[in-house]
């Protein structure tokens, strides 16, 4: 497993042709970066987008072709960057046209269906080496994790793909498809489930949280709101694909919804001792080994990134039960997950989420305040009730494998929050850039934000 940030040498002979099938947000990022590093790049999207794409890339060094057959015939490394739900159909269509002896990979967020499609439809002389950039298209790729998944690969093939992808200057980690899916079920799918549920709950209570006094409480609430908005500003298929198609994700999201429900029941039945014992034991299991290490986040930074115009002074802030966060630790504990072990596949959102969770659990006073609020204070009861419904609803949508139902749930909330998306995206980008700049500074790494 390697985690260094490789710096490509301009003197390298970059004589392989890289083909990209699917020129959406991630395909474009890949095409631009790989081409800028000196590799010959050919690319396509659906045939009906050929003319528009060709006009857009006119004058660039990226060659736009009409379809995936043409890309496959002339490329030495072909990357499928299409919706996870479509991967089998697209590989079935273009896979047989793959150039003899080429290497094929995919950039979808869940590897089980991608690898199955490659095994099913690619000629036997073709190597399979997949990848996954663990960040969105607008995040600086430098220093972020990049999984490389050699599945049917020679050492020479793996070395070539590692060299091609070194232009991202990401932290590369080699994993099997199975390891990748197990880890990202936690770093991505469950994280998203928590924030999707927050958005659904706020929508169900007809709230814009930044307009509600009890959410204008700085650091932690700012992160929750900004990440929730970030997720709902993205495309539903990205989240649906990585949750529905990953078998490990289904189980983990179900476990998260169970933890939310069980904790909520203890709250409304005022079983304080049982609730408190459970929270503290989960905290010890998850954070015990990390007590002495530096915190991932500090709230003096987080306070700056608020969608609200009125910030409440710290002394007047109202505590929150933070059910979403308590349930996350409960679920990790129940599943025997130590999230720090999964940092090799961290995404920016996962790091922020773990940072916030850790911030509460490593502050004894704050954690006691959550327990006290959960038991004694009804201020957040309606929010927690809706959050519980929402977590179970998202878990059902994922376990039923229902893409259409998922899309409808997602888009309903997305539409509700749409008026503030542009501002939230700007703030979220600033917050992420600032936090990662600071994290890299503190780790003594090169500042690349
Ligand atoms: N967005 C993100 O943050 C990240 C996404 N990923 C993964 O990367 C993949 C791509 O995501 P993203 O770029 O965001 O999604 P997009 O929807 O922006 O891009 C996918 C593109 O593939 C096209 N496509 C579909 N079928 C074909 C076909 N037969 N031939 C050629 N092109 C086709 C789509 O066209 P159409 O829209 O018409 O279907 C679309 O333009 C997904 O699997 C996602 O899970 C990975 C890391 C981060
Ligand atoms: O950081 C996140 O979790 C995101 O929401 C962006 C994202 C989405 C899909 C991926 O496969 C990788 C990153």
């Amino acid at each position: 497993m390697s985690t260094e940030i490789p710096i490509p040498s301009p003197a390298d002979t970059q004589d392989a042709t890289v083909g990209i099938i699917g020129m959406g947000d991630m395909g474009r990022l890949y095409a631009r970066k790989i081409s800028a590093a000196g590799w010959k790049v050919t690319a396509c999207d659906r045939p009906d987008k050929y003319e528009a794409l060709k006009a857009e890339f006119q004058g660039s060094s990226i060659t736009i072709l009409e379809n995936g057959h043409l890309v496959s015939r002339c490329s030495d490394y072909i990357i499928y960057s299409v919706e996870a739900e479509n991967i089998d159909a697209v590989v079935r269509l273009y896979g047989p046209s793959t150039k003899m002896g080429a290497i094929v990979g995919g950039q979808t967020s869940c590897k089980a269906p991608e690898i199955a499609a490659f095994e099913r439809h690619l000629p036997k002389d073709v190597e399979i080496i997949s990848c996954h950039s663990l960040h969105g298209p607008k995040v600086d790729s430098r220093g972020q994790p990049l999984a490389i998944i050699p599945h049917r690969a020679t050492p020479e093939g793996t070395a070539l793909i590692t060299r091609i992808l070194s232009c991202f200057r990401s932290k590369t980690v080699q994993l099997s498809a199975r390891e990748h899916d197990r880890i990202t079920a936690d770093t991505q799918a469950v994280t998203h489930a928590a924030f999707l549920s927050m958005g659904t709950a706020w929508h169900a209570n007809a709230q814009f949280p930044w307009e509600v006094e009890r959410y204008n409480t700085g650091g932690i609430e700012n992160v929750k709101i900004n990440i929730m908005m970030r997720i709902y500003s993205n495309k539903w298929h990205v989240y649906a694909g990585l949750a529905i198609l990953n078998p490990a994700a289904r189980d983990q999201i179900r476990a998260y919804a169970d933890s939310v429900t069980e904790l909520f029941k203890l709250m409304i039945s005022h079983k304080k001792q049982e609730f408190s014992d459970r929270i503290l034991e989960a905290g010890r299991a998850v954070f015990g080994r990390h007590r002495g290490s530096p915190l991932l986040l500090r709230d003096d930074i987080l306070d700056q990134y608020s969608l609200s115009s009125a910030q409440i002074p710290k002394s007047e802030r109202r505590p929150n039960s933070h059910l979403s966060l308590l349930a996350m630790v409960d679920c990790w504990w129940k599943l025997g997950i130590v999230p720090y072990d999964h940092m090799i596949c961290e995404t920016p959102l996962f790091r922020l989420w773990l940072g916030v969770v850790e911030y509460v659990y490593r502050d004894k006073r704050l954690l006691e305040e959550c327990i006290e609020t959960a038991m004694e204070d009804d201020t957040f009861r309606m929010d927690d009730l809706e959050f519980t419904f929402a977590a179970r609803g998202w878990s059902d949508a994922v376990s039923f494998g229902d893409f259409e139902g998922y899309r409808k749930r997602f888009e309903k909330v997305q539409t509700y929050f749409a008026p503030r998306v542009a501002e939230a995206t700007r703030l979220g980008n600033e917050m992420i850039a600032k936090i990662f700049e600071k994290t890299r500074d503190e780790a003594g790494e090169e500042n690349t934000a």
Side-chain angles (χ1 to χ4, degrees), residues 125-407:
D125 59 84
V126 166
E127 287 188 43
I128 300 171
I129 304 176
S130 267
C131 61
H132 184 195
S133 287
L134 285 141
H135 56 84
K138 301 212 168 67
V139 171
D140 187 338
S141 61
R142 291 175 294 178
Q144 302 291 348
L146 165 66
I148 297 186
I149 297 149
H151 178 71
R152 194 165 81 195
T154 60
E156 297 74 29
T158 308
L160 173 65
I161 299 320
T162 306
R163 193 155 69 85
I164 292 172
L165 299 181
S166 70
C167 61
F168 290 104
R169 297 185 62 189
S170 296
K171 282 190 285 191
T172 55
V173 53
Q174 266 192 38
L175 295 168
S176 69
R178 206 186 165 84
E179 286 168 330
H180 168 277
D181 287 353
R182 199 174 37 77
I183 297 174
T184 55
D186 178 39
T187 57
Q188 296 202 267
V190 187
T191 303
H192 299 153
F195 289 98
L196 289 166
S197 303
M198 285 177 216
T200 304
W202 282 320
H203 171 239
N205 278 327
Q207 289 166 353
F208 293 114
W210 53 87
E211 289 176 357
V212 178
E213 195 185 304
R214 64 183 179 280
Y215 286 108
N216 279 338
T217 58
I220 297 174
E221 302 300 347
N222 284 353
V223 178
K224 282 185 181 170
I225 294 169
N226 288 346
I227 299 183
M228 179 281 293
M229 290 294 278
R230 199 174 175 82
I231 287 175
Y232 278 106
S233 67
N234 208 339
K235 283 156 295 191
W236 70 272
H237 76 73
V238 173
Y239 301 111
L242 66 84
I244 292 175
L245 299 172
N246 183 342
R250 246 172 279 168
D251 297 343
Q252 289 196 28
I253 293 170
R254 168 65 61 206
Y256 180 66
D258 288 346
S259 287
V260 172
T261 310
E262 288 167 21
L263 292 180
F264 185 68
K265 284 181 181 166
L266 291 176
M267 280 161 65
I268 55 172
S269 49
H270 298 284
K271 294 190 172 156
K272 187 169 183 181
Q273 194 60 49
E274 196 180 331
F275 184 80
S276 171
D277 288 350
R278 184 162 167 170
I279 299 299
L280 297 177
E281 191 172 348
R284 274 191 296 275
V286 172
F287 297 103
R289 275 200 280 130
H290 292 266
R291 285 266 167 243
S293 50
L295 284 173
L296 294 170
L297 296 179
R298 292 212 328 256
D299 73 345
D300 56 335
I301 304 176
L302 305 179
D303 275 350
Q304 298 166 25
Y305 300 100
S306 170
L307 279 171
S308 162
S309 48
Q311 280 292 289
I312 310 279
K314 262 204 170 92
S315 55
E316 291 167 33
R317 286 177 186 176
R318 193 185 273 281
N320 185 333
S321 53
H322 289 308
L323 175 61
S324 62
L325 205 143
L326 301 182
M328 193 71 250
V329 177
D330 190 76
C331 157
W332 281 329
W333 168 54
K334 290 271 153 97
L335 294 173
I337 290 173
V338 176
Y340 299 95
D341 297 345
H342 291 172
M343 295 300 267
I344 51 166
C345 282
E346 64 170 318
T347 64
L349 302 193
F350 177 72
R351 190 185 187 89
L352 284 168
W353 183 221
L354 178 57
V356 166
V357 175
E358 173 197 72
Y359 182 85
V360 170
Y361 272 77
R362 287 180 51 188
D363 182 334
K364 199 162 171 276
R365 188 194 50 77
L366 204 50
L367 189 57
E368 276 167 6
E369 198 176 83
C370 285
I371 295 172
E372 197 59 32
T373 310
M375 281 300 135
E376 313 296 346
D377 186 344
D378 283 338
T379 319
F380 285 91
R381 213 57 97 211
M382 299 304 170
D383 305 68
D384 289 341
L385 173 71
E386 287 296 353
F387 183 78
T388 306
F389 289 149
R392 296 173 71 89
W394 280 109
S395 169
D396 282 345
V398 169
S399 47
F400 296 157
D402 177 7
F403 275 91
E404 196 46 25
Y406 192 107
R407 183 182 67 74

